[in-house]
Amino acid sequence: MLGRKLRLEQILPQLSGQRVLMRADFNVPIKDGRITDSNRIQATLPSIQAVLDNGAKSLVLMSHLGRPDGRRDEKSSLR
């Protein structure tokens, strides 16, 4: 079954009481410490809400902010 992709709607009934790890695309443009376009964050909200509404025990979101110029930059860390 490896490689078979399921849509969120297909697994929602199975989430009740489960811990969920969700990869979210929060790689948004930031200028002077402020988000300049929040569309990616806003687009993720319905999926987050659907998981919570279907009884997930907990939800952990993971993302990244990219690597400016291909190098690690601590000030861009989500930690």
Side-chain angles (χ1 to χ4, degrees), residues 2-59:
L2 287 175
R4 181 175 167 219
K5 294 181 182 178
L6 299 174
R7 297 185 51 82
L8 180 59
E9 295 81 15
Q10 293 174 285
I11 63 167
L12 282 175
Q14 302 167 32
L15 298 183
S16 182
Q18 299 295 312
R19 293 182 180 107
V20 177
L21 174 64
M22 180 184 289
R23 165 58 165 89
D25 187 5
F26 292 152
N27 193 19
V28 295
I30 298 177
K31 184 170 183 166
D32 299 325
R34 297 190 64 113
I35 296 172
T36 59
D37 182 357
S38 63
N39 285 330
R40 289 181 178 183
I41 295 171
Q42 292 174 10
T44 308
L45 293 177
S47 297
I48 294 169
Q49 193 63 54
V51 169
L52 296 173
D53 288 347
N54 279 272
K57 180 178 183 177
S58 64
L59 172 61

